[in-house]
Amino acid sequence: MRARSERGPSARSFRVSAKTRSTRGQMTVELCVVLPVIVVVAAVACNALTFFGACAEFDRVGRNAVRTFAAVPAAGADPGPCTGEVLSAIEGSLSDGNLEFEVSSSRDHRGYEEYAMTMTFHPTLFGLGLRQEVLGVPLPALTHESRMVVSPYRPGVLL
């Protein structure tokens, strides 16, 4: 009876260790498979949030610049398009290496000027420089456009 009891636990421990050996390293393999996906999702989410924040700030700064420079031109200045001043005000307020700005204006037959401001956002890898892709997933440049129509003030002209 004693031989049987000694043989029983060792056989049981052999079966248990065989089960644990077959699952050893499974978590490491799962981590190796899932980690690149997590990095890509985190990079896309981080860039999306950065883009949304830049869009909100661009809208605020761009509209303030148009109201400041285009609605009332400087004394003695041509009341025509003030795209240069608007662009320099936007670039001065939003100085980031991965943002590009463009300002254009057009005038309609009633004398109103429409300012079209465009921001181009180039995604980064968590702020570590400009990247076109992350682990094979392309990160395209994103654009945001804001338009504002103003009636420029003309000194000495009655409506």
Side-chain angles (χ1 to χ4, degrees):
M1 193 172 214
R2 199 174 200 153
R4 203 178 231 182
S5 66
E6 289 175 9
R7 212 173 52 183
S10 66
R12 216 175 308 143
S13 66
F14 176 73
R15 280 188 233 132
V16 170
S17 67
K19 285 182 181 179
T20 58
R21 272 192 224 143
S22 66
T23 60
R24 238 182 231 166
Q26 178 181 354
M27 189 177 228
T28 305
V29 172
E30 289 174 356
L31 179 68
C32 291
V33 170
V34 174
L35 187 64
V37 175
I38 291 173
V39 168
V40 168
V41 169
V44 169
C46 181
N47 281 310
L49 294 175
T50 304
F51 174 68
F52 295 144
C55 286
E57 192 172 1
F58 173 72
D59 286 344
R60 181 185 59 81
V61 168
R63 291 177 190 272
N64 283 339
V66 170
R67 280 192 292 260
T68 302
F69 296 108
V72 182
D78 179 32
C82 303
T83 57
E85 290 90 353
V86 172
L87 182 61
S88 64
I90 293 171
E91 288 174 342
S93 296
L94 299 171
S95 58
D96 200 356
N98 60 340
L99 297 176
E100 294 177 4
F101 305 103
E102 184 179 319
V103 177
S104 63
S105 67
S106 62
R107 184 176 283 216
D108 66 0
H109 66 282
R110 297 172 294 181
Y112 294 119
E113 288 186 32
E114 179 182 20
Y115 286 84
M117 301 163 286
T118 306
M119 176 188 73
T120 304
F121 174 81
H122 298 282
T124 64
L125 183 59
F126 305 111
L128 297 175
L130 303 176
R131 299 279 183 181
Q132 297 296 325
E133 63 179 35
V134 175
L135 298 174
V137 177
L139 297 174
L142 304 171
T143 59
H144 176 70
E145 186 172 337
S146 179
R147 294 179 178 267
M148 188 169 181
V149 177
V150 295
S151 174
Y153 171 75
R154 295 182 192 97
V157 177
L158 298 174
L159 297 176

